[in-house]
Amino acid sequence: MIEDKFPKFEGDYAVFGGTFDPIHEGHIAVIRNLLENYDLVILAVTSQNPWKVTAPTTMFHRVRMIELVLTTEKLPVFHDKNRRGIWICTRDYVYVEDLVKELRKYLPGQIHWAVGKKDAEDVKKWRNVDKLSLDIICVDTGIPIDSTHVRQSKHSSYPCVESYIREHGLYDES
């Protein structure tokens, strides 16, 4: 279910942003790591990566695949401020700066923004990153896979994602 209301939450939280096009085991490794250290993990699904010219799969399909994998992995997705777990944020943002401004309106405290090791160098290219006062967390998954590989091969370690891709004709060359 795509929902854009911010959760009512007070406590430590981390944000993990990206297109998740599609979600893969590297993403899940980061999410598991974050859940060990933060009460709330916000998966911030971006509408468009500003450095890529191709548009991602629709938000609806990406969020649905995320939900399928989180359910398969028995990871806690919640909409209740009294529970620990994952919230899928589907605010329409392209730049981290825009989402950070929104987060600061609704959620108190320091924003801990997680990136995978392969994306750590890109942080310095983020628009106005020096003015955002983010705690950047670099998480090494140790898993050599990315979404491009999954899109090209249509192979995922999650059968639910493979089935979803086939069922909806995603990532076809045409």
Side-chain angles (χ1 to χ4, degrees), residues 98-137:
D98 298 330
L99 184 60
V100 165
K101 287 177 184 175
E102 285 287 308
L103 289 170
R104 290 211 167 107
K105 285 183 199 175
Y106 300 101
L107 296 170
Q110 174 67 38
I111 299 173
H112 307 276
W113 196 287
V115 295
K117 187 176 180 182
K118 74 176 193 69
D119 298 317
E121 279 298 308
D122 290 340
V123 170
K124 60 186 166 196
K125 295 190 281 183
W126 292 357
R127 189 172 74 180
N128 296 323
V129 69
D130 54 327
K131 298 174 185 167
L132 298 179
S133 300
L134 295 175
D135 174 26
I136 303 294
I137 306 160

mmCIF file of all heavy atoms in Angstrom, residues 98-137:
data_model
loop_
_atom_site.group_PDB
_atom_site.id
_atom_site.type_symbol
_atom_site.label_atom_id
_atom_site.label_comp_id
_atom_site.label_asym_id
_atom_site.label_seq_id
_atom_site.Cartn_x
_atom_site.Cartn_y
_atom_site.Cartn_z
ATOM 1 N N ASP A 98 15.431 17.706 -0.555
ATOM 2 C CA ASP A 98 13.980 17.919 -0.475
ATOM 3 C C ASP A 98 13.338 17.022 0.576
ATOM 4 O O ASP A 98 12.484 17.466 1.342
ATOM 5 C CB ASP A 98 13.331 17.668 -1.846
ATOM 6 C CG ASP A 98 13.859 18.630 -2.904
ATOM 7 O OD1 ASP A 98 14.224 19.769 -2.551
ATOM 8 O OD2 ASP A 98 13.919 18.225 -4.080
ATOM 9 N N LEU A 99 13.726 15.769 0.620
ATOM 10 C CA LEU A 99 13.155 14.862 1.611
ATOM 11 C C LEU A 99 13.617 15.218 3.019
ATOM 12 O O LEU A 99 12.830 15.157 3.967
ATOM 13 C CB LEU A 99 13.493 13.402 1.298
ATOM 14 C CG LEU A 99 12.840 12.397 2.248
ATOM 15 C CD1 LEU A 99 11.317 12.489 2.200
ATOM 16 C CD2 LEU A 99 13.288 10.990 1.929
ATOM 17 N N VAL A 100 14.858 15.626 3.166
ATOM 18 C CA VAL A 100 15.372 16.016 4.484
ATOM 19 C C VAL A 100 14.544 17.169 5.051
ATOM 20 O O VAL A 100 14.187 17.170 6.232
ATOM 21 C CB VAL A 100 16.880 16.368 4.411
ATOM 22 C CG1 VAL A 100 17.336 17.102 5.653
ATOM 23 C CG2 VAL A 100 17.699 15.102 4.194
ATOM 24 N N LYS A 101 14.206 18.139 4.208
ATOM 25 C CA LYS A 101 13.369 19.259 4.675
ATOM 26 C C LYS A 101 12.025 18.746 5.174
ATOM 27 O O LYS A 101 11.517 19.210 6.193
ATOM 28 C CB LYS A 101 13.171 20.273 3.550
ATOM 29 C CG LYS A 101 14.404 21.090 3.260
ATOM 30 C CD LYS A 101 14.187 22.025 2.089
ATOM 31 C CE LYS A 101 15.463 22.778 1.755
ATOM 32 N NZ LYS A 101 15.308 23.612 0.552
ATOM 33 N N GLU A 102 11.421 17.807 4.463
ATOM 34 C CA GLU A 102 10.151 17.213 4.892
ATOM 35 C C GLU A 102 10.309 16.453 6.207
ATOM 36 O O GLU A 102 9.495 16.584 7.108
ATOM 37 C CB GLU A 102 9.618 16.261 3.816
ATOM 38 C CG GLU A 102 9.039 16.948 2.620
ATOM 39 C CD GLU A 102 7.686 17.576 2.918
ATOM 40 O OE1 GLU A 102 6.805 16.871 3.436
ATOM 41 O OE2 GLU A 102 7.540 18.772 2.627
ATOM 42 N N LEU A 103 11.347 15.633 6.295
ATOM 43 C CA LEU A 103 11.568 14.845 7.511
ATOM 44 C C LEU A 103 11.705 15.745 8.730
ATOM 45 O O LEU A 103 11.151 15.451 9.797
ATOM 46 C CB LEU A 103 12.822 13.976 7.370
ATOM 47 C CG LEU A 103 12.727 12.804 6.408
ATOM 48 C CD1 LEU A 103 14.109 12.186 6.190
ATOM 49 C CD2 LEU A 103 11.758 11.755 6.916
ATOM 50 N N ARG A 104 12.414 16.827 8.578
ATOM 51 C CA ARG A 104 12.643 17.729 9.717
ATOM 52 C C ARG A 104 11.359 18.403 10.181
ATOM 53 O O ARG A 104 11.255 18.813 11.337
ATOM 54 C CB ARG A 104 13.719 18.743 9.368
ATOM 55 C CG ARG A 104 15.077 18.072 9.281
ATOM 56 C CD ARG A 104 16.209 18.987 9.677
ATOM 57 N NE ARG A 104 17.415 18.198 9.859
ATOM 58 C CZ ARG A 104 18.446 18.184 9.025
ATOM 59 N NH1 ARG A 104 18.444 18.946 7.959
ATOM 60 N NH2 ARG A 104 19.504 17.424 9.282
ATOM 61 N N LYS A 105 10.382 18.525 9.305
ATOM 62 C CA LYS A 105 9.090 19.103 9.707
ATOM 63 C C LYS A 105 8.319 18.167 10.634
ATOM 64 O O LYS A 105 7.573 18.609 11.484
ATOM 65 C CB LYS A 105 8.213 19.353 8.475
ATOM 66 C CG LYS A 105 8.595 20.526 7.642
ATOM 67 C CD LYS A 105 7.563 20.642 6.511
ATOM 68 C CE LYS A 105 8.068 21.471 5.374
ATOM 69 N NZ LYS A 105 7.110 21.476 4.250
ATOM 70 N N TYR A 106 8.484 16.854 10.421
ATOM 71 C CA TYR A 106 7.627 15.875 11.097
ATOM 72 C C TYR A 106 8.320 14.989 12.127
ATOM 73 O O TYR A 106 7.668 14.459 13.008
ATOM 74 C CB TYR A 106 6.952 14.979 10.057
ATOM 75 C CG TYR A 106 6.089 15.754 9.106
ATOM 76 C CD1 TYR A 106 6.540 16.068 7.832
ATOM 77 C CD2 TYR A 106 4.829 16.193 9.486
ATOM 78 C CE1 TYR A 106 5.752 16.798 6.953
ATOM 79 C CE2 TYR A 106 4.030 16.916 8.614
ATOM 80 C CZ TYR A 106 4.502 17.222 7.356
ATOM 81 O OH TYR A 106 3.721 17.939 6.503
ATOM 82 N N LEU A 107 9.617 14.773 11.968
ATOM 83 C CA LEU A 107 10.318 13.856 12.863
ATOM 84 C C LEU A 107 11.461 14.577 13.564
ATOM 85 O O LEU A 107 12.360 15.107 12.911
ATOM 86 C CB LEU A 107 10.879 12.663 12.084
ATOM 87 C CG LEU A 107 9.847 11.750 11.429
ATOM 88 C CD1 LEU A 107 10.530 10.762 10.502
ATOM 89 C CD2 LEU A 107 9.046 11.023 12.473
ATOM 90 N N PRO A 108 11.442 14.578 14.889
ATOM 91 C CA PRO A 108 12.520 15.242 15.626
ATOM 92 C C PRO A 108 13.795 14.406 15.590
ATOM 93 O O PRO A 108 13.776 13.224 15.270
ATOM 94 C CB PRO A 108 11.966 15.324 17.051
ATOM 95 C CG PRO A 108 11.030 14.164 17.151
ATOM 96 C CD PRO A 108 10.449 13.981 15.780
ATOM 97 N N GLY A 109 14.889 15.043 15.926
ATOM 98 C CA GLY A 109 16.141 14.309 16.086
ATOM 99 C C GLY A 109 17.045 14.330 14.866
ATOM 100 O O GLY A 109 16.698 14.834 13.809
ATOM 101 N N GLN A 110 18.205 13.772 15.067
ATOM 102 C CA GLN A 110 19.240 13.688 14.033
ATOM 103 C C GLN A 110 18.840 12.689 12.951
ATOM 104 O O GLN A 110 18.358 11.604 13.258
ATOM 105 C CB GLN A 110 20.570 13.251 14.664
ATOM 106 C CG GLN A 110 21.702 12.994 13.699
ATOM 107 C CD GLN A 110 22.190 14.238 12.981
ATOM 108 O OE1 GLN A 110 22.256 15.308 13.573
ATOM 109 N NE2 GLN A 110 22.509 14.101 11.721
ATOM 110 N N ILE A 111 19.057 13.074 11.709
ATOM 111 C CA ILE A 111 18.790 12.155 10.603
ATOM 112 C C ILE A 111 20.064 11.371 10.310
ATOM 113 O O ILE A 111 21.100 11.941 10.011
ATOM 114 C CB ILE A 111 18.332 12.903 9.339
ATOM 115 C CG1 ILE A 111 17.021 13.655 9.621
ATOM 116 C CG2 ILE A 111 18.168 11.926 8.166
ATOM 117 C CD1 ILE A 111 16.574 14.559 8.492
ATOM 118 N N HIS A 112 19.965 10.062 10.410
ATOM 119 C CA HIS A 112 21.062 9.157 10.086
ATOM 120 C C HIS A 112 20.736 8.584 8.706
ATOM 121 O O HIS A 112 19.798 7.811 8.555
ATOM 122 C CB HIS A 112 21.161 8.036 11.117
ATOM 123 C CG HIS A 112 21.246 8.549 12.523
ATOM 124 N ND1 HIS A 112 22.428 8.944 13.100
ATOM 125 C CD2 HIS A 112 20.283 8.752 13.456
ATOM 126 C CE1 HIS A 112 22.201 9.359 14.326
ATOM 127 N NE2 HIS A 112 20.902 9.247 14.568
ATOM 128 N N TRP A 113 21.490 8.999 7.678
ATOM 129 C CA TRP A 113 21.192 8.601 6.299
ATOM 130 C C TRP A 113 22.177 7.517 5.876
ATOM 131 O O TRP A 113 23.379 7.726 5.863
ATOM 132 C CB TRP A 113 21.290 9.791 5.352
ATOM 133 C CG TRP A 113 20.634 9.525 4.040
ATOM 134 C CD1 TRP A 113 21.093 8.713 3.045
ATOM 135 C CD2 TRP A 113 19.387 10.041 3.594
ATOM 136 N NE1 TRP A 113 20.214 8.690 1.995
ATOM 137 C CE2 TRP A 113 19.150 9.505 2.305
ATOM 138 C CE3 TRP A 113 18.445 10.908 4.141
ATOM 139 C CZ2 TRP A 113 18.016 9.819 1.563
ATOM 140 C CZ3 TRP A 113 17.322 11.215 3.397
ATOM 141 C CH2 TRP A 113 17.119 10.677 2.132
ATOM 142 N N ALA A 114 21.644 6.361 5.533
ATOM 143 C CA ALA A 114 22.487 5.216 5.175
ATOM 144 C C ALA A 114 22.691 5.130 3.670
ATOM 145 O O ALA A 114 21.767 5.365 2.888
ATOM 146 C CB ALA A 114 21.845 3.928 5.678
ATOM 147 N N VAL A 115 23.908 4.785 3.293
ATOM 148 C CA VAL A 115 24.233 4.507 1.896
ATOM 149 C C VAL A 115 25.038 3.222 1.849
ATOM 150 O O VAL A 115 25.762 2.899 2.787
ATOM 151 C CB VAL A 115 25.034 5.653 1.226
ATOM 152 C CG1 VAL A 115 24.213 6.930 1.141
ATOM 153 C CG2 VAL A 115 26.350 5.908 1.938
ATOM 154 N N GLY A 116 24.905 2.513 0.752
ATOM 155 C CA GLY A 116 25.737 1.338 0.546
ATOM 156 C C GLY A 116 27.153 1.772 0.217
ATOM 157 O O GLY A 116 27.385 2.902 -0.227
ATOM 158 N N LYS A 117 28.101 0.900 0.449
ATOM 159 C CA LYS A 117 29.514 1.236 0.234
ATOM 160 C C LYS A 117 29.772 1.731 -1.183
ATOM 161 O O LYS A 117 30.505 2.691 -1.396
ATOM 162 C CB LYS A 117 30.386 0.019 0.545
ATOM 163 C CG LYS A 117 31.866 0.311 0.509
ATOM 164 C CD LYS A 117 32.679 -0.893 0.923
ATOM 165 C CE LYS A 117 34.159 -0.568 0.868
ATOM 166 N NZ LYS A 117 34.968 -1.723 1.213
ATOM 167 N N LYS A 118 29.126 1.104 -2.177
ATOM 168 C CA LYS A 118 29.384 1.503 -3.557
ATOM 169 C C LYS A 118 28.834 2.892 -3.884
ATOM 170 O O LYS A 118 29.248 3.517 -4.845
ATOM 171 C CB LYS A 118 28.850 0.466 -4.534
ATOM 172 C CG LYS A 118 27.363 0.435 -4.704
ATOM 173 C CD LYS A 118 26.960 -0.567 -5.784
ATOM 174 C CE LYS A 118 25.530 -0.394 -6.186
ATOM 175 N NZ LYS A 118 25.215 0.816 -6.906
ATOM 176 N N ASP A 119 27.918 3.403 -3.061
ATOM 177 C CA ASP A 119 27.334 4.723 -3.293
ATOM 178 C C ASP A 119 27.938 5.817 -2.420
ATOM 179 O O ASP A 119 27.556 6.982 -2.538
ATOM 180 C CB ASP A 119 25.819 4.670 -3.049
ATOM 181 C CG ASP A 119 25.137 3.711 -4.004
ATOM 182 O OD1 ASP A 119 25.483 3.721 -5.197
ATOM 183 O OD2 ASP A 119 24.264 2.947 -3.545
ATOM 184 N N ALA A 120 28.878 5.473 -1.566
ATOM 185 C CA ALA A 120 29.435 6.432 -0.615
ATOM 186 C C ALA A 120 30.098 7.626 -1.297
ATOM 187 O O ALA A 120 29.980 8.754 -0.826
ATOM 188 C CB ALA A 120 30.427 5.739 0.318
ATOM 189 N N GLU A 121 30.763 7.399 -2.408
ATOM 190 C CA GLU A 121 31.429 8.498 -3.124
ATOM 191 C C GLU A 121 30.426 9.500 -3.690
ATOM 192 O O GLU A 121 30.735 10.674 -3.838
ATOM 193 C CB GLU A 121 32.313 7.946 -4.245
ATOM 194 C CG GLU A 121 33.655 7.445 -3.776
ATOM 195 C CD GLU A 121 34.498 8.547 -3.144
ATOM 196 O OE1 GLU A 121 34.671 9.619 -3.774
ATOM 197 O OE2 GLU A 121 34.974 8.339 -2.010
ATOM 198 N N ASP A 122 29.230 9.033 -4.013
ATOM 199 C CA ASP A 122 28.210 9.914 -4.599
ATOM 200 C C ASP A 122 27.676 10.939 -3.610
ATOM 201 O O ASP A 122 27.134 11.962 -4.019
ATOM 202 C CB ASP A 122 27.040 9.091 -5.148
ATOM 203 C CG ASP A 122 27.407 8.303 -6.390
ATOM 204 O OD1 ASP A 122 28.405 8.657 -7.056
ATOM 205 O OD2 ASP A 122 26.699 7.333 -6.689
ATOM 206 N N VAL A 123 27.812 10.690 -2.328
ATOM 207 C CA VAL A 123 27.264 11.597 -1.312
ATOM 208 C C VAL A 123 27.783 13.016 -1.512
ATOM 209 O O VAL A 123 27.016 13.977 -1.428
ATOM 210 C CB VAL A 123 27.566 11.087 0.113
ATOM 211 C CG1 VAL A 123 27.212 12.136 1.159
ATOM 212 C CG2 VAL A 123 26.826 9.788 0.379
ATOM 213 N N LYS A 124 29.049 13.161 -1.832
ATOM 214 C CA LYS A 124 29.594 14.516 -1.977
ATOM 215 C C LYS A 124 29.019 15.248 -3.189
ATOM 216 O O LYS A 124 29.144 16.467 -3.283
ATOM 217 C CB LYS A 124 31.115 14.487 -2.003
ATOM 218 C CG LYS A 124 31.737 13.702 -3.104
ATOM 219 C CD LYS A 124 33.244 13.627 -2.927
ATOM 220 C CE LYS A 124 33.811 12.556 -3.829
ATOM 221 N NZ LYS A 124 35.150 12.191 -3.459
ATOM 222 N N LYS A 125 28.338 14.536 -4.079
ATOM 223 C CA LYS A 125 27.700 15.163 -5.241
ATOM 224 C C LYS A 125 26.253 15.572 -4.964
ATOM 225 O O LYS A 125 25.641 16.238 -5.780
ATOM 226 C CB LYS A 125 27.711 14.204 -6.449
ATOM 227 C CG LYS A 125 29.099 13.883 -6.963
ATOM 228 C CD LYS A 125 29.037 13.141 -8.280
ATOM 229 C CE LYS A 125 28.723 11.692 -8.079
ATOM 230 N NZ LYS A 125 28.711 10.908 -9.322
ATOM 231 N N TRP A 126 25.710 15.170 -3.802
ATOM 232 C CA TRP A 126 24.327 15.513 -3.494
ATOM 233 C C TRP A 126 24.169 17.024 -3.407
ATOM 234 O O TRP A 126 25.043 17.720 -2.866
ATOM 235 C CB TRP A 126 23.888 14.912 -2.175
ATOM 236 C CG TRP A 126 23.778 13.423 -2.152
ATOM 237 C CD1 TRP A 126 23.975 12.555 -3.183
ATOM 238 C CD2 TRP A 126 23.451 12.626 -1.015
ATOM 239 N NE1 TRP A 126 23.790 11.266 -2.764
ATOM 240 C CE2 TRP A 126 23.460 11.276 -1.432
ATOM 241 C CE3 TRP A 126 23.154 12.917 0.300
ATOM 242 C CZ2 TRP A 126 23.184 10.235 -0.573
ATOM 243 C CZ3 TRP A 126 22.873 11.882 1.160
ATOM 244 C CH2 TRP A 126 22.883 10.550 0.719
ATOM 245 N N ARG A 127 23.068 17.520 -3.899
ATOM 246 C CA ARG A 127 22.786 18.959 -3.890
ATOM 247 C C ARG A 127 22.732 19.465 -2.448
ATOM 248 O O ARG A 127 21.985 18.941 -1.619
ATOM 249 C CB ARG A 127 21.463 19.208 -4.609
ATOM 250 C CG ARG A 127 21.182 20.675 -4.838
ATOM 251 C CD ARG A 127 19.985 20.867 -5.702
ATOM 252 N NE ARG A 127 18.786 20.567 -4.932
ATOM 253 C CZ ARG A 127 17.567 20.657 -5.429
ATOM 254 N NH1 ARG A 127 17.377 20.986 -6.677
ATOM 255 N NH2 ARG A 127 16.523 20.381 -4.669
ATOM 256 N N ASN A 128 23.568 20.458 -2.157
ATOM 257 C CA ASN A 128 23.630 21.118 -0.840
ATOM 258 C C ASN A 128 23.886 20.176 0.330
ATOM 259 O O ASN A 128 23.479 20.458 1.457
ATOM 260 C CB ASN A 128 22.356 21.929 -0.583
ATOM 261 C CG ASN A 128 22.213 23.068 -1.563
ATOM 262 O OD1 ASN A 128 23.201 23.695 -1.935
ATOM 263 N ND2 ASN A 128 20.999 23.336 -2.002
ATOM 264 N N VAL A 129 24.576 19.080 0.093
ATOM 265 C CA VAL A 129 24.820 18.102 1.159
ATOM 266 C C VAL A 129 25.551 18.728 2.349
ATOM 267 O O VAL A 129 25.286 18.375 3.497
ATOM 268 C CB VAL A 129 25.563 16.853 0.647
ATOM 269 C CG1 VAL A 129 27.004 17.175 0.255
ATOM 270 C CG2 VAL A 129 25.509 15.733 1.677
ATOM 271 N N ASP A 130 26.416 19.689 2.080
ATOM 272 C CA ASP A 130 27.169 20.330 3.160
ATOM 273 C C ASP A 130 26.274 21.156 4.091
ATOM 274 O O ASP A 130 26.655 21.454 5.212
ATOM 275 C CB ASP A 130 28.285 21.205 2.582
ATOM 276 C CG ASP A 130 27.787 22.221 1.567
ATOM 277 O OD1 ASP A 130 26.813 21.920 0.835
ATOM 278 O OD2 ASP A 130 28.368 23.319 1.493
ATOM 279 N N LYS A 131 25.079 21.487 3.662
ATOM 280 C CA LYS A 131 24.157 22.281 4.479
ATOM 281 C C LYS A 131 23.091 21.426 5.171
ATOM 282 O O LYS A 131 22.250 21.953 5.891
ATOM 283 C CB LYS A 131 23.458 23.321 3.603
ATOM 284 C CG LYS A 131 24.413 24.306 2.976
ATOM 285 C CD LYS A 131 23.691 25.209 2.021
ATOM 286 C CE LYS A 131 24.700 26.114 1.319
ATOM 287 N NZ LYS A 131 24.113 26.803 0.180
ATOM 288 N N LEU A 132 23.110 20.126 4.958
ATOM 289 C CA LEU A 132 22.030 19.273 5.451
ATOM 290 C C LEU A 132 22.240 18.724 6.858
ATOM 291 O O LEU A 132 21.305 18.209 7.458
ATOM 292 C CB LEU A 132 21.798 18.100 4.487
ATOM 293 C CG LEU A 132 21.356 18.479 3.077
ATOM 294 C CD1 LEU A 132 21.183 17.233 2.223
ATOM 295 C CD2 LEU A 132 20.072 19.288 3.124
ATOM 296 N N SER A 133 23.439 18.787 7.388
ATOM 297 C CA SER A 133 23.737 18.269 8.725
ATOM 298 C C SER A 133 23.247 16.839 8.918
ATOM 299 O O SER A 133 22.564 16.519 9.892
ATOM 300 C CB SER A 133 23.123 19.157 9.811
ATOM 301 O OG SER A 133 23.634 20.456 9.730
ATOM 302 N N LEU A 134 23.600 15.983 7.970
ATOM 303 C CA LEU A 134 23.218 14.572 8.059
ATOM 304 C C LEU A 134 24.346 13.756 8.659
ATOM 305 O O LEU A 134 25.520 14.045 8.432
ATOM 306 C CB LEU A 134 22.931 14.008 6.652
ATOM 307 C CG LEU A 134 21.764 14.583 5.898
ATOM 308 C CD1 LEU A 134 21.722 13.995 4.502
ATOM 309 C CD2 LEU A 134 20.464 14.315 6.629
ATOM 310 N N ASP A 135 23.977 12.747 9.402
ATOM 311 C CA ASP A 135 24.933 11.739 9.849
ATOM 312 C C ASP A 135 24.900 10.658 8.769
ATOM 313 O O ASP A 135 23.935 9.906 8.669
ATOM 314 C CB ASP A 135 24.504 11.172 11.198
ATOM 315 C CG ASP A 135 25.383 10.020 11.652
ATOM 316 O OD1 ASP A 135 26.560 9.965 11.235
ATOM 317 O OD2 ASP A 135 24.879 9.168 12.410
ATOM 318 N N ILE A 136 25.929 10.613 7.921
ATOM 319 C CA ILE A 136 25.973 9.644 6.829
ATOM 320 C C ILE A 136 26.563 8.344 7.355
ATOM 321 O O ILE A 136 27.648 8.333 7.940
ATOM 322 C CB ILE A 136 26.816 10.154 5.639
ATOM 323 C CG1 ILE A 136 26.268 11.495 5.117
ATOM 324 C CG2 ILE A 136 26.870 9.107 4.534
ATOM 325 C CD1 ILE A 136 24.901 11.432 4.487
ATOM 326 N N ILE A 137 25.835 7.256 7.142
ATOM 327 C CA ILE A 137 26.270 5.929 7.575
ATOM 328 C C ILE A 137 26.579 5.119 6.321
ATOM 329 O O ILE A 137 25.717 4.938 5.468
ATOM 330 C CB ILE A 137 25.151 5.201 8.342
ATOM 331 C CG1 ILE A 137 24.635 6.054 9.485
ATOM 332 C CG2 ILE A 137 25.604 3.836 8.811
ATOM 333 C CD1 ILE A 137 23.266 5.630 9.949
#
